[in-house]
Amino acid sequence: MTTDDDFIGRLEDYLESFDGETPLPGRVRDAVDAELPSTRQVRPRPGLLRSLTMSSTTSTIARWGVLAACLVVAVALGSAILLPGRGGGPGAAGGSPSPSLTSSPTPVSSPHVLGVVPQIPCDATQPSGSTCIPPGTYLVGPIVPGGLIDIPSGWFDWEPGAGSVALLVDRHDAVDGSGWGVMFMQVGAVQRDPCNQAAGTYPAAEVDTPQKLAAAMGGWPGFKGSAPESIVVGGNAGVRIRVTSTKDLSTCPTPTIWQTPAGLAIDGYPMVNGGATRLDSGYPADFSLIEIDGQVVAIRAMASAHTSPNELGQGIADDPKRHEADLVALQGIIQSLRFASPGS
Amino acid sequence: MHGDKVAFDALIERHGDHLHSVARRILRDPYLAEDATQRALLDTWRYLPTLRDPDRFEAWAHRLLVRACLAEARNERRHRSSVPLLTIDDPVVMDSAARIATRQQLDLAFRRLGIEHRTVVVLIHYVGMSAIEAAAAMGTPVGTVRSRLHYALKYLRAAIEADARLEQEVGTA
């Protein structure tokens, strides 16, 4: 029988001596140095962006908006490191100030991962304007392991925090960001009531499949969920549910629908919209809930062509057709989700 | 930008070896550890401007590293379904004929731990974190960390004790 001290001592000796000295290999350092020029640094503005990369209850409305503002930097990094086959560099990517459905994604041999993508100007005529990612095929990243999606021009990526990554459409008149797009999210602790944190969270076993999660979401007080529809996304079975809410920030000031396993609070945007939208039933979002490697992944997509709540908040007029073309593009992005074959 | 690069180089100089050592122990694969360290260092660069308290750098960097390690492990698991992981409840496999030495037995048992359990053990018994600090690094509740540590140590301890019993049996035979 070993004593606790003896056992812990042996364990710590083992860990200390494991593999001997393992200094950081020079090739790793070289690889990091090589990637720095194409790796965009997050530069939060004082106050407004403080919570951008941290777990918080900050409104996603604000975060989606400030992210775009953060991207309004004079960075034209992409020209030398653009994905192959685009022919024309930044000009080809930003030829149209609004998102184009005509640009076909370009297959790449080694896709970039969303969140670490070289940026190009969204509008080639305004190189100091907001930046987008080049159209092409991208890995969604660890949230959707091995998942590949095709993205047209006029979109930019955003990582709200651990366990989520988003794609938003660029609009030059929405200087604080369109707040319109799709977010891929891991699902951790799910709130019983997004507007009342004191109500607690569901036990994991009650929300560990797409079907159970959809049922839980359909029961959120003040929210309305459609009947779940069976779907297959990237070969993974799941359900889709459309969620709306008539709550606004006066009745639901800090909406949180769930946390990612890493602790990032996912809030109620765009459903809880502060009363800005003119849609009587609230701004709808489609949640595609799929199971990947035993984990439920949620894909939250804007489900209305209306001017987004975030844009309305910037004084942009309500237009029921503002994102009509974007809706088609967004469906194309989601439907393009597929998985890299093992070893590829 | 230049100033950031200089500061970043200094951070790599100071912390790079340690982060790589931690990744080696969590992942137990030199190539995966290199990839994870590279990913973590690039994340460090990306998010460095958001770090408000320089005194928190080490804890923050560990958090990025753990994220990178878990991501690398997930990718590996996806592509190599034969990798034996999460075998907490399995009996310890003894090679009685070879009378495996304690260190080797510990090594075998440690290898068979799932990535999350290994990570907890490394953070607490190699890095020297508290359970609360490990929970912050892993983005999990403290209770989860304590539970994982309990089961991981129980499993590792069983491996050593089985080895000790074997030695005793051989010695008295």
Side-chain angles (χ1 to χ4, degrees):
Chain A
M1 194 70 171
T2 56
T3 65
D4 282 347
D5 286 349
D6 184 29
F7 166 63
I8 295 298
R10 286 193 204 188
L11 174 62
E12 293 184 348
D13 286 348
Y14 161 74
L15 289 171
E16 190 63 40
S17 61
F18 173 80
D19 271 5
E21 294 290 319
T22 52
L24 182 66
R27 59 181 169 273
V28 174
R29 189 162 183 159
D30 292 344
V32 170
D33 281 342
E35 288 198 41
L36 287 190
S38 60
T39 304
R40 181 180 68 235
Q41 278 193 296
V42 174
R43 292 196 176 277
R45 294 190 302 192
L48 199 56
L49 271 177
R50 276 181 187 158
S51 61
L52 187 60
T53 59
M54 307 297 290
S55 166
S56 76
T57 55
T58 302
S59 163
T60 303
I61 300 172
R63 282 185 267 135
W64 283 41
V66 295
L67 180 278
C70 181
L71 291 175
V72 181
V73 291
V75 180
L77 287 173
S79 58
I81 44 180
L82 286 176
L83 303 177
R86 296 195 57 252
S96 168
S98 59
S100 165
L101 300 179
T102 56
S103 58
S104 58
T106 306
V108 293
S109 56
S110 180
H112 284 281
V113 181
L114 290 183
V116 286
V117 180
Q119 302 289 302
I120 60 173
C122 297
D123 182 351
T125 64
Q126 298 183 26
S128 63
S130 56
T131 57
C132 290
I133 60 177
T137 299
Y138 294 88
L139 282 162
V140 180
I143 297 156
V144 185
L148 291 164
I149 53 173
D150 299 329
I151 302 172
S153 62
W155 294 71
F156 62 93
D157 58 338
W158 173 43
E159 274 190 300
S164 69
V165 66
L167 271 173
L168 303 175
V169 72
D170 176 69
R171 281 307 178 99
H172 67 277
D173 58 343
V175 293
D176 285 337
S178 66
W180 199 100
V182 60
M183 184 184 284
F184 298 84
M185 299 171 276
Q186 294 172 327
V187 181
V190 178
Q191 295 295 140
R192 289 185 181 276
D193 180 350
C195 300
N196 177 16
Q197 307 306 304
T201 58
Y202 283 99
E206 292 184 24
V207 288
D208 61 356
T209 68
Q211 292 76 13
K212 291 181 192 174
L213 177 57
M217 294 168 68
W220 282 336
F223 288 71
K224 183 179 178 185
S226 66
E229 167 194 359
S230 294
I231 58 169
V232 175
V233 178
N236 295 278
V239 296
R240 179 161 50 229
I241 177 173
R242 175 163 295 185
V243 180
T244 55
S245 174
T246 52
K247 294 269 188 179
D248 60 28
L249 293 180
S250 67
T251 55
C252 187
T254 57
T256 300
I257 56 174
W258 60 64
Q259 292 194 349
T260 66
L264 176 77
I266 303 295
D267 72 14
Y269 187 83
M271 296 88 71
V272 179
N273 51 52
T277 182
R278 295 180 186 175
L279 295 167
D280 290 340
S281 57
Y283 208 98
D286 281 344
F287 286 77
S288 297
L289 311 172
I290 56 176
E291 195 166 332
I292 302 175
D293 288 349
Q295 300 285 324
V296 178
V297 172
I299 304 172
R300 180 175 70 188
M302 303 293 276
S304 169
H306 267 263
T307 304
S308 78
N310 193 55
E311 291 168 325
L312 291 169
Q314 297 171 57
I316 297 170
D318 189 32
D319 176 358
K321 295 184 178 180
R322 178 174 170 87
H323 292 292
E324 201 168 53
D326 301 332
L327 263 180
V328 179
L330 186 55
Q331 288 309 308
I333 291 171
I334 295 171
Q335 287 169 9
S336 74
L337 178 62
R338 60 201 180 277
F339 290 87
S341 58
S344 64
Chain B
M1 175 79 176
H2 176 69
D4 284 355
K5 179 66 169 64
V6 170
F8 183 67
D9 285 343
L11 288 172
I12 290 186
E13 195 65 40
R14 184 171 176 184
H15 299 282
D17 290 355
H18 171 72
L19 293 174
H20 180 244
S21 295
V22 174
R24 286 286 289 255
R25 283 155 177 80
I26 291 174
L27 291 165
R28 304 186 55 87
D29 178 303
Y31 301 106
L32 289 180
E34 287 183 14
D35 288 348
T37 309
Q38 180 177 332
R39 182 194 290 235
L41 290 174
L42 285 170
D43 281 347
T44 302
W45 166 256
R46 293 178 62 212
Y47 296 113
L48 197 56
T50 70
L51 181 65
R52 284 173 288 159
D53 181 0
D55 291 341
R56 297 283 303 153
F57 175 80
E58 201 163 336
W60 179 74
H62 277 117
R63 184 172 186 170
L64 295 179
L65 181 73
V66 168
R67 277 175 52 188
C69 286
L70 296 178
E72 289 296 329
R74 271 195 300 270
N75 288 342
E76 180 70 1
R77 195 161 46 196
R78 181 177 181 81
H79 293 158
R80 285 194 198 175
S81 57
S82 61
V83 173
L85 292 173
L86 296 170
T87 54
I88 289 290
D89 296 322
D90 287 357
V92 177
V93 178
M94 289 294 297
D95 183 349
S96 57
R99 293 179 58 207
I100 301 169
T102 299
R103 190 183 185 287
Q104 288 174 304
Q105 191 66 35
L106 195 50
D107 191 57
L108 176 66
F110 196 66
R111 186 184 299 275
R112 289 170 65 83
L113 286 178
I115 181 74
E116 291 86 359
H117 292 80
R118 274 207 308 269
T119 301
V120 169
V121 173
V122 169
L123 291 179
I124 291 179
H125 287 290
Y126 176 67
V127 178
M129 287 183 174
S130 66
I132 292 173
E133 291 168 333
M138 298 185 72
T140 55
V142 179
T144 303
V145 165
R146 291 197 172 115
S147 169
R148 285 175 179 167
L149 182 66
H150 171 77
Y151 285 106
L153 294 183
K154 183 179 173 185
Y155 181 78
L156 294 171
R157 188 186 177 97
I160 288 186
E161 289 183 353
D163 186 53
R165 279 199 304 274
L166 187 65
E167 286 179 357
Q168 195 172 29
E169 287 168 12
V170 171
T172 56

